[in-house]
Amino acid sequence: MTGSDLLRYARVHRGVTVLAATAAIALLSAFFGGTHIALPSIGSGGVTTGVPFRHELPLLSAVFLTASLDGDMSAHDEMGASAMHRFRLTYCTGQTLTACAFSFSTEALAVGPEAGIVFVRSLLIWLGLALLSVRLLGHQLGWIIPLASAFFLIWYPQNRWDWTSNSATDLVSWAVAAIALSVGVAATAATPWRRKVFLRR
C-alpha cells in the first residue's frame, strides 16, 4: 500500500468531499453551536424544549463519514480479499481520525477542550450506529438508526444515557462509545462472503 494508492482510493470513495463536509459541520458548530433548537416537548401545554445545536451536529459528521464506504467500487470492495479490507479499514480510520482531530480543534478553540472531547465522543457513538445502519439498511440509509437514537436524547435530555450532555470524563458514555463503535466496525466487516463462510462452519 502506497500513498498514491491511497489517494486513488480516496478519489473513488469521495474522500475530499467527506472531509470537506465534516469540516463544514465542525465550523458550523464552532460558530453557531450554542444556538438552541426549539423543539416541541412531549409534555402538554405546547411547551418547547431547547437543545444546543452542537449536541446534534456530530450525528451529521458520522453519517457523512459512512459515505467513505460508498462509491462506484463499493460492491467490489465488499467482495475483495483480506488485503482489500485492510486497505479500506486504513482509509476509513484515516478519514475518521482526521474528522475527529479537526472537530476537536474547532470546538476546543470555540468553547473549550471538554466540549471538543464531548463532540468527538458523540461523533464516534453515532458513527458506530451509522455503520450498523449502513449494513442493515444500505448505504443510502445510514442516517436511520443514528436519527432514531437522537430522538431519545432530544426529548429525554439530562439522563444517564445522554452522551451529548454528560461530562468528558463520564465512563458510561465512553463505554457506550466503545460498544457502539465496536458493533459498527463488526457490522462493516460482516460482508456477504464472510457471512456465508461463517454460516458454513
Side-chain angles (χ1 to χ4, degrees):
M1 181 193 306
T2 64
S4 59
D5 292 334
L6 197 57
L7 286 176
R8 283 195 293 269
Y9 190 89
R11 279 198 296 270
V12 174
H13 292 80
R14 307 167 182 167
V16 173
T17 303
V18 169
L19 288 181
T22 56
I25 292 168
L27 291 172
L28 184 65
S29 180
F31 286 104
F32 305 106
T35 304
H36 279 62
I37 309 169
L39 296 167
S41 171
I42 287 180
S44 59
V47 177
T48 59
T49 182
V51 179
F53 204 30
R54 66 171 31 92
H55 281 199
E56 314 310 323
L57 284 174
L59 188 155
L60 294 178
S61 294
V63 172
F64 280 129
L65 281 172
T66 62
S68 297
L69 298 173
D70 200 5
D72 296 334
M73 294 182 62
S74 58
H76 173 73
D77 291 344
E78 295 230 333
M79 293 185 295
S82 298
M84 173 61 76
H85 288 284
R86 286 195 299 271
F87 195 88
R88 184 169 71 155
L89 177 62
T90 300
Y91 168 70
C92 292
T93 301
Q95 291 279 87
T96 302
L97 291 176
T98 303
C100 287
F102 191 81
S103 298
F104 171 78
S105 299
T106 53
E107 282 292 286
L109 289 172
V111 184
E114 181 163 344
I117 293 172
V118 171
F119 192 102
V120 168
R121 183 180 65 199
S122 297
L123 192 159
L124 294 176
I125 292 172
W126 271 316
L127 177 59
L129 296 178
L131 290 172
L132 177 62
S133 189
V134 165
R135 172 57 65 208
L136 296 177
L137 305 172
H139 286 290
Q140 304 303 316
L141 297 174
W143 53 273
I144 294 288
I145 295 177
L147 185 61
S149 71
F151 285 134
F152 291 99
L153 304 184
I154 291 171
W155 278 295
Y156 296 98
Q158 304 301 325
N159 282 297
R160 200 72 188 98
W161 60 74
D162 187 0
W163 59 76
T164 66
S165 297
N166 292 336
S167 70
T169 57
D170 182 65
L171 295 180
V172 173
S173 296
W174 281 109
V176 171
I179 293 169
L181 198 57
S182 297
V183 169
V185 170
T188 302
T191 56
W193 69 268
R194 280 180 171 164
R195 293 200 300 269
K196 288 179 182 178
V197 170
F198 179 79
L199 291 174
R200 285 173 185 166
R201 292 179 179 176

